[in-house]
Amino acid sequence: MDIDDLIDAVLGREGGFSDNPADRGGATRWGITERVARANGYAGDMRALPRETAAAIYRRLYWQRPGYDRVAAAMPLIAAELFDTGINMGPKVATGFLQRALNALNRGGADHADVAVDGLIGPHTLAALDGFRARRGAAGERVLLKALEALQGARYMTLAERRPANEAFLYGWLANRLG
């Protein structure tokens, strides 16, 4: 999948307008919150947020800015997962999951050096990803994907446990965001 396919999948999944009182994100259209839309220059009614505007926001904020396009060159499945997780949890959280997983899977530094868990894709994270890929190959990408999904699932459970209103979303998060 390329970024256009990933964006189309997100837009299809997120769909229409929502303003669930239990959702701290408030009014959303295409999965874009009003706060994010306003911060990116949209001043209209959220019910009318154009699909093209949402797609441009996804591309810029959740693909290019965090550097997932650079990850895609080495591991496209990982980049797709980071993109999706970043939309739902924020790119810093998604990237932090990657950094944590790379650190835990480096066999005590034998495959690549640990990286700072700073939530930013930079040269050290990309080097660690390259080291992991060189050691583990295509099978490693699937294992790394499982590690990212495990971290994401654990965070969803914690969010639901800490805020009972989030229990309304837990099933959908697990059904639509993992695997």
Side-chain angles (χ1 to χ4, degrees):
M1 282 192 152
D2 68 9
I3 185 55
D4 293 322
D5 294 332
L6 295 172
I7 290 171
D8 282 344
V10 168
L11 292 171
R13 185 172 52 248
E14 295 291 346
F17 178 79
S18 173
D19 194 6
N20 187 323
D23 186 349
R24 290 182 173 171
T28 65
R29 170 96 170 132
W30 305 112
I32 301 294
T33 65
E34 185 170 13
R35 182 187 60 77
V36 169
R38 301 288 182 246
N40 284 274
Y42 181 72
D45 183 336
M46 283 304 292
R47 287 176 181 81
L49 177 72
R51 188 179 205 277
E52 299 77 28
T53 301
I57 290 170
Y58 281 128
R59 181 181 308 277
R60 187 174 56 259
L61 295 185
Y62 301 100
W63 185 252
Q64 294 168 335
R65 184 182 290 171
Y68 299 152
D69 53 338
R70 293 182 289 162
V71 172
M75 291 191 165
L77 294 176
I78 299 306
E81 179 66 21
L82 294 171
F83 173 72
D84 189 65
T85 303
I87 289 167
N88 195 249
M89 296 184 171
K92 283 195 158 219
V93 171
T95 301
F97 288 166
L98 173 65
Q99 292 165 330
R100 288 175 59 198
L102 286 169
N103 288 345
L105 291 168
N106 72 357
R107 297 180 318 127
D111 296 340
H112 57 269
D114 278 347
V115 296
V117 181
D118 60 7
L120 302 172
I121 298 288
H124 297 292
T125 300
L126 291 172
L129 190 65
D130 286 342
F132 179 81
R133 183 183 54 167
R135 173 72 176 134
R136 300 296 183 176
E141 185 172 15
R142 290 185 295 280
V143 170
L144 185 55
L145 182 62
K146 288 179 182 184
L148 295 175
E149 289 179 343
L151 290 166
Q152 184 181 15
R155 182 171 169 110
Y156 286 137
M157 294 296 292
T158 299
L159 290 171
E161 290 168 345
R162 288 186 181 160
R163 183 173 177 258
N166 283 338
E167 289 181 11
F169 308 111
L170 182 60
Y171 184 90
W173 288 337
L174 296 173
N176 298 314
R177 297 285 181 179
L178 300 179

